[in-house]
Amino acid sequence: QKEVEQDPGPLSVPEGAIVSLNCTYSNSAFQYFMWYRQYSRKGPELLMYTYSSGNKEDGRFTAQVDKSSKYISLFIRDSQPSDSATYLCAMTSTTDSWGKLQFGAGTQVVVTP
Amino acid sequence: DAEITQSPRHKITETGRQVTLACHQTWNHNNMFWYRQDLGHGLRLIHYSYGVQDTNKGEVSDGYSVSRSNTEDLPLTLESAASSQTSVYFCASSEGQGRITFFGQGTRLTVV
């Protein structure tokens, strides 16, 4: 079983809808949680970064972490065609070696005009 | 602006050949990583380094090696390329506790 599970999609939504993405994980030591956006044939770029449990908002993006359920989410409000990309969750722990990220498989999102 | 540069962006090589992928970062980060990305697997860690002369194996290190002779560069070498190593390779770097990680644009390697 993988440490981080993520539905690969594709997830297709109409423009303006809310995109809801999530990951589950098994390692209770994970404390740092990230969401990366990856456009086709490009490198991943960091979208959101949260520590421990709680919510974080940045513009149209909201990241949520529920450590008790080992579940993290990313919401994209008022989605745009430019949000069409693959979204990768990643996480690491305070006990693990610095910067060694565990990634989900990525969810492909398609926002249709 | 600081960045991570990977070269080449695309490479086709034959089974059994030695191949080296270059990674150069201008962030002055101590931590550098190599990941491979395959459909259904996401990004998997190959090797990483926390500084000059330091190298460590990741979860999929068999058949790969790295060396760190300066802060800016971490070349990845495939000792004897195999078809199973056909993949997209990403170099990354981070500073300090390393939670903020930056990625290069990737190298698409095909082994025929």
Side-chain angles (χ1 to χ4, degrees), chain A residues 35-68:
Chain A
W35 286 95
Y36 282 83
R37 177 175 62 195
Q38 185 177 22
Y39 291 115
S40 180
R41 298 184 178 268
K42 299 290 187 181
E45 55 177 328
L46 184 65
L47 265 183
M48 300 285 285
Y49 160 69
T50 54
Y51 170 69
S52 195
S53 287
N55 295 356
K56 185 173 184 177
E57 191 172 314
D58 184 2
R60 298 185 295 113
F61 299 90
T62 299
Q64 292 184 348
V65 175
D66 181 350
K67 289 195 68 185
S68 63

mmCIF file of all heavy atoms in Angstrom, chain A residues 35-68:
data_model
loop_
_atom_site.group_PDB
_atom_site.id
_atom_site.type_symbol
_atom_site.label_atom_id
_atom_site.label_comp_id
_atom_site.label_asym_id
_atom_site.label_seq_id
_atom_site.Cartn_x
_atom_site.Cartn_y
_atom_site.Cartn_z
ATOM 1 N N TRP A 35 0.624 21.208 -1.855
ATOM 2 C CA TRP A 35 -0.029 20.953 -3.136
ATOM 3 C C TRP A 35 0.808 21.603 -4.229
ATOM 4 O O TRP A 35 1.176 22.772 -4.124
ATOM 5 C CB TRP A 35 -1.445 21.517 -3.157
ATOM 6 C CG TRP A 35 -2.397 20.708 -2.339
ATOM 7 C CD1 TRP A 35 -2.771 20.930 -1.045
ATOM 8 C CD2 TRP A 35 -3.109 19.543 -2.764
ATOM 9 N NE1 TRP A 35 -3.656 19.962 -0.631
ATOM 10 C CE2 TRP A 35 -3.884 19.105 -1.676
ATOM 11 C CE3 TRP A 35 -3.169 18.815 -3.960
ATOM 12 C CZ2 TRP A 35 -4.708 17.980 -1.741
ATOM 13 C CZ3 TRP A 35 -3.985 17.710 -4.025
ATOM 14 C CH2 TRP A 35 -4.746 17.290 -2.926
ATOM 15 N N TYR A 36 1.098 20.801 -5.256
ATOM 16 C CA TYR A 36 1.822 21.280 -6.421
ATOM 17 C C TYR A 36 0.903 21.229 -7.634
ATOM 18 O O TYR A 36 0.073 20.329 -7.769
ATOM 19 C CB TYR A 36 3.052 20.406 -6.704
ATOM 20 C CG TYR A 36 4.234 20.670 -5.798
ATOM 21 C CD1 TYR A 36 4.317 20.083 -4.543
ATOM 22 C CD2 TYR A 36 5.260 21.513 -6.205
ATOM 23 C CE1 TYR A 36 5.405 20.326 -3.709
ATOM 24 C CE2 TYR A 36 6.353 21.758 -5.386
ATOM 25 C CZ TYR A 36 6.406 21.163 -4.135
ATOM 26 O OH TYR A 36 7.488 21.404 -3.318
ATOM 27 N N ARG A 37 1.087 22.186 -8.530
ATOM 28 C CA ARG A 37 0.385 22.191 -9.814
ATOM 29 C C ARG A 37 1.419 21.897 -10.891
ATOM 30 O O ARG A 37 2.508 22.453 -10.895
ATOM 31 C CB ARG A 37 -0.273 23.546 -10.059
ATOM 32 C CG ARG A 37 -0.979 23.685 -11.388
ATOM 33 C CD ARG A 37 -1.691 25.033 -11.480
ATOM 34 N NE ARG A 37 -0.736 26.128 -11.398
ATOM 35 C CZ ARG A 37 -1.073 27.387 -11.155
ATOM 36 N NH1 ARG A 37 -2.333 27.702 -10.948
ATOM 37 N NH2 ARG A 37 -0.152 28.329 -11.116
ATOM 38 N N GLN A 38 1.041 21.018 -11.813
ATOM 39 C CA GLN A 38 1.955 20.661 -12.894
ATOM 40 C C GLN A 38 1.226 20.744 -14.232
ATOM 41 O O GLN A 38 0.309 19.963 -14.497
ATOM 42 C CB GLN A 38 2.520 19.248 -12.682
ATOM 43 C CG GLN A 38 3.580 18.854 -13.694
ATOM 44 C CD GLN A 38 4.182 17.489 -13.431
ATOM 45 O OE1 GLN A 38 3.575 16.647 -12.769
ATOM 46 N NE2 GLN A 38 5.382 17.262 -13.938
ATOM 47 N N TYR A 39 1.662 21.683 -15.062
ATOM 48 C CA TYR A 39 1.139 21.756 -16.426
ATOM 49 C C TYR A 39 1.863 20.727 -17.280
ATOM 50 O O TYR A 39 2.972 20.295 -16.965
ATOM 51 C CB TYR A 39 1.332 23.162 -16.987
ATOM 52 C CG TYR A 39 0.468 24.218 -16.336
ATOM 53 C CD1 TYR A 39 1.029 25.255 -15.599
ATOM 54 C CD2 TYR A 39 -0.915 24.171 -16.451
ATOM 55 C CE1 TYR A 39 0.244 26.214 -14.996
ATOM 56 C CE2 TYR A 39 -1.720 25.133 -15.854
ATOM 57 C CZ TYR A 39 -1.134 26.152 -15.133
ATOM 58 O OH TYR A 39 -1.926 27.104 -14.528
ATOM 59 N N SER A 40 1.225 20.371 -18.391
ATOM 60 C CA SER A 40 1.763 19.342 -19.264
ATOM 61 C C SER A 40 3.189 19.681 -19.698
ATOM 62 O O SER A 40 3.467 20.799 -20.137
ATOM 63 C CB SER A 40 0.861 19.185 -20.490
ATOM 64 O OG SER A 40 1.353 18.198 -21.357
ATOM 65 N N ARG A 41 4.079 18.723 -19.534
ATOM 66 C CA ARG A 41 5.477 18.838 -19.947
ATOM 67 C C ARG A 41 6.237 19.944 -19.208
ATOM 68 O O ARG A 41 7.202 20.507 -19.724
ATOM 69 C CB ARG A 41 5.605 19.003 -21.455
ATOM 70 C CG ARG A 41 5.060 17.811 -22.218
ATOM 71 C CD ARG A 41 5.254 17.899 -23.713
ATOM 72 N NE ARG A 41 4.752 16.686 -24.353
ATOM 73 C CZ ARG A 41 5.492 15.626 -24.606
ATOM 74 N NH1 ARG A 41 6.770 15.625 -24.285
ATOM 75 N NH2 ARG A 41 4.982 14.558 -25.182
ATOM 76 N N LYS A 42 5.782 20.255 -17.988
ATOM 77 C CA LYS A 42 6.464 21.235 -17.159
ATOM 78 C C LYS A 42 6.797 20.602 -15.811
ATOM 79 O O LYS A 42 6.307 19.523 -15.465
ATOM 80 C CB LYS A 42 5.574 22.460 -16.929
ATOM 81 C CG LYS A 42 5.198 23.200 -18.193
ATOM 82 C CD LYS A 42 6.384 23.923 -18.787
ATOM 83 C CE LYS A 42 5.955 24.800 -19.965
ATOM 84 N NZ LYS A 42 7.113 25.494 -20.575
ATOM 85 N N GLY A 43 7.632 21.292 -15.029
ATOM 86 C CA GLY A 43 7.925 20.836 -13.685
ATOM 87 C C GLY A 43 6.837 21.247 -12.707
ATOM 88 O O GLY A 43 6.097 22.192 -12.954
ATOM 89 N N PRO A 44 6.705 20.526 -11.592
ATOM 90 C CA PRO A 44 5.722 20.915 -10.572
ATOM 91 C C PRO A 44 6.069 22.277 -9.966
ATOM 92 O O PRO A 44 7.245 22.594 -9.775
ATOM 93 C CB PRO A 44 5.871 19.814 -9.516
ATOM 94 C CG PRO A 44 6.533 18.676 -10.211
ATOM 95 C CD PRO A 44 7.419 19.290 -11.233
ATOM 96 N N GLU A 45 5.030 23.057 -9.672
ATOM 97 C CA GLU A 45 5.225 24.336 -8.998
ATOM 98 C C GLU A 45 4.396 24.354 -7.727
ATOM 99 O O GLU A 45 3.245 23.903 -7.718
ATOM 100 C CB GLU A 45 4.856 25.504 -9.910
ATOM 101 C CG GLU A 45 3.463 25.444 -10.473
ATOM 102 C CD GLU A 45 3.107 26.665 -11.317
ATOM 103 O OE1 GLU A 45 3.606 27.765 -11.011
ATOM 104 O OE2 GLU A 45 2.317 26.508 -12.264
ATOM 105 N N LEU A 46 4.975 24.866 -6.661
ATOM 106 C CA LEU A 46 4.309 24.856 -5.366
ATOM 107 C C LEU A 46 3.129 25.826 -5.349
ATOM 108 O O LEU A 46 3.263 26.996 -5.675
ATOM 109 C CB LEU A 46 5.305 25.233 -4.275
ATOM 110 C CG LEU A 46 4.783 25.182 -2.850
ATOM 111 C CD1 LEU A 46 4.416 23.751 -2.462
ATOM 112 C CD2 LEU A 46 5.813 25.757 -1.881
ATOM 113 N N LEU A 47 1.953 25.287 -4.956
ATOM 114 C CA LEU A 47 0.742 26.101 -4.836
ATOM 115 C C LEU A 47 0.469 26.501 -3.394
ATOM 116 O O LEU A 47 0.239 27.657 -3.086
ATOM 117 C CB LEU A 47 -0.464 25.298 -5.329
ATOM 118 C CG LEU A 47 -0.941 25.447 -6.756
ATOM 119 C CD1 LEU A 47 -2.184 24.601 -6.957
ATOM 120 C CD2 LEU A 47 -1.228 26.900 -7.101
ATOM 121 N N MET A 48 0.427 25.493 -2.535
ATOM 122 C CA MET A 48 0.032 25.713 -1.148
ATOM 123 C C MET A 48 0.905 24.869 -0.238
ATOM 124 O O MET A 48 1.309 23.768 -0.593
ATOM 125 C CB MET A 48 -1.428 25.308 -0.923
ATOM 126 C CG MET A 48 -2.442 26.064 -1.754
ATOM 127 S SD MET A 48 -2.704 27.731 -1.150
ATOM 128 C CE MET A 48 -3.687 27.426 0.309
ATOM 129 N N TYR A 49 1.128 25.392 0.957
ATOM 130 C CA TYR A 49 1.959 24.701 1.934
ATOM 131 C C TYR A 49 1.334 24.928 3.311
ATOM 132 O O TYR A 49 1.078 26.063 3.699
ATOM 133 C CB TYR A 49 3.369 25.278 1.866
ATOM 134 C CG TYR A 49 4.243 25.046 3.056
ATOM 135 C CD1 TYR A 49 4.706 23.768 3.347
ATOM 136 C CD2 TYR A 49 4.622 26.097 3.880
ATOM 137 C CE1 TYR A 49 5.523 23.559 4.438
ATOM 138 C CE2 TYR A 49 5.440 25.891 4.975
ATOM 139 C CZ TYR A 49 5.891 24.619 5.245
ATOM 140 O OH TYR A 49 6.698 24.403 6.326
ATOM 141 N N THR A 50 1.034 23.828 4.029
ATOM 142 C CA THR A 50 0.445 23.960 5.355
ATOM 143 C C THR A 50 1.184 23.065 6.335
ATOM 144 O O THR A 50 1.727 22.028 5.968
ATOM 145 C CB THR A 50 -1.049 23.576 5.352
ATOM 146 O OG1 THR A 50 -1.188 22.263 4.781
ATOM 147 C CG2 THR A 50 -1.887 24.540 4.551
ATOM 148 N N TYR A 51 1.153 23.511 7.573
ATOM 149 C CA TYR A 51 1.786 22.756 8.636
ATOM 150 C C TYR A 51 0.717 22.242 9.593
ATOM 151 O O TYR A 51 -0.170 23.006 10.005
ATOM 152 C CB TYR A 51 2.787 23.620 9.400
ATOM 153 C CG TYR A 51 3.300 22.982 10.667
ATOM 154 C CD1 TYR A 51 4.142 21.873 10.615
ATOM 155 C CD2 TYR A 51 2.925 23.456 11.928
ATOM 156 C CE1 TYR A 51 4.606 21.270 11.774
ATOM 157 C CE2 TYR A 51 3.386 22.866 13.078
ATOM 158 C CZ TYR A 51 4.220 21.765 12.999
ATOM 159 O OH TYR A 51 4.676 21.170 14.146
ATOM 160 N N SER A 52 0.767 20.954 9.905
ATOM 161 C CA SER A 52 -0.151 20.293 10.840
ATOM 162 C C SER A 52 -1.597 20.441 10.359
ATOM 163 O O SER A 52 -1.865 20.461 9.179
ATOM 164 C CB SER A 52 0.061 20.861 12.232
ATOM 165 O OG SER A 52 -0.558 20.021 13.188
ATOM 166 N N SER A 53 -2.542 20.533 11.257
ATOM 167 C CA SER A 53 -3.954 20.569 10.886
ATOM 168 C C SER A 53 -4.433 21.998 10.669
ATOM 169 O O SER A 53 -3.800 22.956 11.086
ATOM 170 C CB SER A 53 -4.792 19.913 11.985
ATOM 171 O OG SER A 53 -4.643 18.524 11.979
ATOM 172 N N GLY A 54 -5.587 22.105 9.996
ATOM 173 C CA GLY A 54 -6.195 23.409 9.813
ATOM 174 C C GLY A 54 -6.373 23.768 8.359
ATOM 175 O O GLY A 54 -6.174 22.957 7.466
ATOM 176 N N ASN A 55 -6.811 25.008 8.162
ATOM 177 C CA ASN A 55 -7.080 25.525 6.826
ATOM 178 C C ASN A 55 -6.103 26.631 6.471
ATOM 179 O O ASN A 55 -5.578 27.325 7.343
ATOM 180 C CB ASN A 55 -8.499 26.096 6.759
ATOM 181 C CG ASN A 55 -9.557 25.046 6.948
ATOM 182 O OD1 ASN A 55 -9.261 23.869 7.064
ATOM 183 N ND2 ASN A 55 -10.798 25.485 7.016
ATOM 184 N N LYS A 56 -5.877 26.774 5.172
ATOM 185 C CA LYS A 56 -5.080 27.899 4.678
ATOM 186 C C LYS A 56 -5.696 28.358 3.375
ATOM 187 O O LYS A 56 -6.032 27.532 2.522
ATOM 188 C CB LYS A 56 -3.625 27.477 4.469
ATOM 189 C CG LYS A 56 -2.700 28.618 4.075
ATOM 190 C CD LYS A 56 -1.268 28.139 4.058
ATOM 191 C CE LYS A 56 -0.307 29.264 3.768
ATOM 192 N NZ LYS A 56 1.113 28.797 3.816
ATOM 193 N N GLU A 57 -5.841 29.664 3.248
ATOM 194 C CA GLU A 57 -6.474 30.210 2.055
ATOM 195 C C GLU A 57 -5.497 31.143 1.351
ATOM 196 O O GLU A 57 -4.783 31.916 1.974
ATOM 197 C CB GLU A 57 -7.744 30.976 2.441
ATOM 198 C CG GLU A 57 -8.616 31.368 1.274
ATOM 199 C CD GLU A 57 -9.948 31.936 1.740
ATOM 200 O OE1 GLU A 57 -10.579 31.334 2.632
ATOM 201 O OE2 GLU A 57 -10.345 32.998 1.233
ATOM 202 N N ASP A 58 -5.504 31.067 0.016
ATOM 203 C CA ASP A 58 -4.674 31.956 -0.797
ATOM 204 C C ASP A 58 -5.422 32.243 -2.087
ATOM 205 O O ASP A 58 -5.434 31.409 -2.994
ATOM 206 C CB ASP A 58 -3.318 31.322 -1.088
ATOM 207 C CG ASP A 58 -2.387 32.251 -1.846
ATOM 208 O OD1 ASP A 58 -2.773 33.404 -2.117
ATOM 209 O OD2 ASP A 58 -1.265 31.827 -2.174
ATOM 210 N N GLY A 59 -6.090 33.380 -2.132
ATOM 211 C CA GLY A 59 -6.866 33.716 -3.313
ATOM 212 C C GLY A 59 -7.997 32.725 -3.530
ATOM 213 O O GLY A 59 -8.818 32.493 -2.643
ATOM 214 N N ARG A 60 -8.027 32.099 -4.694
ATOM 215 C CA ARG A 60 -9.087 31.133 -4.998
ATOM 216 C C ARG A 60 -8.808 29.748 -4.435
ATOM 217 O O ARG A 60 -9.629 28.844 -4.587
ATOM 218 C CB ARG A 60 -9.256 31.042 -6.526
ATOM 219 C CG ARG A 60 -9.691 32.329 -7.190
ATOM 220 C CD ARG A 60 -9.963 32.141 -8.684
ATOM 221 N NE ARG A 60 -8.756 31.790 -9.430
ATOM 222 C CZ ARG A 60 -8.549 30.616 -10.017
ATOM 223 N NH1 ARG A 60 -9.458 29.664 -9.950
ATOM 224 N NH2 ARG A 60 -7.428 30.396 -10.685
ATOM 225 N N PHE A 61 -7.675 29.559 -3.815
ATOM 226 C CA PHE A 61 -7.248 28.240 -3.347
ATOM 227 C C PHE A 61 -7.369 28.125 -1.829
ATOM 228 O O PHE A 61 -6.993 29.046 -1.102
ATOM 229 C CB PHE A 61 -5.793 27.972 -3.755
ATOM 230 C CG PHE A 61 -5.560 27.973 -5.228
ATOM 231 C CD1 PHE A 61 -5.230 29.132 -5.897
ATOM 232 C CD2 PHE A 61 -5.696 26.801 -5.961
ATOM 233 C CE1 PHE A 61 -5.016 29.141 -7.268
ATOM 234 C CE2 PHE A 61 -5.484 26.787 -7.329
ATOM 235 C CZ PHE A 61 -5.140 27.961 -7.985
ATOM 236 N N THR A 62 -7.923 26.987 -1.379
ATOM 237 C CA THR A 62 -8.001 26.687 0.045
ATOM 238 C C THR A 62 -7.481 25.281 0.279
ATOM 239 O O THR A 62 -7.917 24.343 -0.392
ATOM 240 C CB THR A 62 -9.452 26.772 0.565
ATOM 241 O OG1 THR A 62 -9.944 28.089 0.375
ATOM 242 C CG2 THR A 62 -9.503 26.420 2.046
ATOM 243 N N ALA A 63 -6.542 25.161 1.202
ATOM 244 C CA ALA A 63 -6.015 23.853 1.572
ATOM 245 C C ALA A 63 -6.495 23.505 2.969
ATOM 246 O O ALA A 63 -6.524 24.359 3.854
ATOM 247 C CB ALA A 63 -4.493 23.853 1.520
ATOM 248 N N GLN A 64 -6.911 22.264 3.149
ATOM 249 C CA GLN A 64 -7.365 21.785 4.451
ATOM 250 C C GLN A 64 -6.605 20.529 4.824
ATOM 251 O O GLN A 64 -6.325 19.683 3.976
ATOM 252 C CB GLN A 64 -8.868 21.470 4.411
ATOM 253 C CG GLN A 64 -9.753 22.669 4.245
ATOM 254 C CD GLN A 64 -11.231 22.300 4.302
ATOM 255 O OE1 GLN A 64 -11.602 21.125 4.256
ATOM 256 N NE2 GLN A 64 -12.090 23.316 4.402
ATOM 257 N N VAL A 65 -6.297 20.421 6.107
ATOM 258 C CA VAL A 65 -5.610 19.237 6.621
ATOM 259 C C VAL A 65 -6.394 18.718 7.818
ATOM 260 O O VAL A 65 -6.690 19.468 8.748
ATOM 261 C CB VAL A 65 -4.170 19.557 7.059
ATOM 262 C CG1 VAL A 65 -3.529 18.325 7.712
ATOM 263 C CG2 VAL A 65 -3.329 20.024 5.874
ATOM 264 N N ASP A 66 -6.742 17.448 7.788
ATOM 265 C CA ASP A 66 -7.390 16.789 8.914
ATOM 266 C C ASP A 66 -6.486 15.627 9.331
ATOM 267 O O ASP A 66 -6.565 14.529 8.778
ATOM 268 C CB ASP A 66 -8.779 16.289 8.513
ATOM 269 C CG ASP A 66 -9.517 15.622 9.668
ATOM 270 O OD1 ASP A 66 -8.902 15.365 10.722
ATOM 271 O OD2 ASP A 66 -10.706 15.338 9.530
ATOM 272 N N LYS A 67 -5.635 15.878 10.302
ATOM 273 C CA LYS A 67 -4.663 14.854 10.689
ATOM 274 C C LYS A 67 -5.338 13.675 11.383
ATOM 275 O O LYS A 67 -4.862 12.547 11.301
ATOM 276 C CB LYS A 67 -3.586 15.457 11.590
ATOM 277 C CG LYS A 67 -2.625 16.397 10.875
ATOM 278 C CD LYS A 67 -1.400 16.671 11.713
ATOM 279 C CE LYS A 67 -0.574 15.413 11.846
ATOM 280 N NZ LYS A 67 0.577 15.608 12.759
ATOM 281 N N SER A 68 -6.447 13.913 12.054
ATOM 282 C CA SER A 68 -7.113 12.810 12.744
ATOM 283 C C SER A 68 -7.632 11.782 11.756
ATOM 284 O O SER A 68 -7.670 10.582 12.049
ATOM 285 C CB SER A 68 -8.250 13.345 13.618
ATOM 286 O OG SER A 68 -9.237 13.972 12.814
#
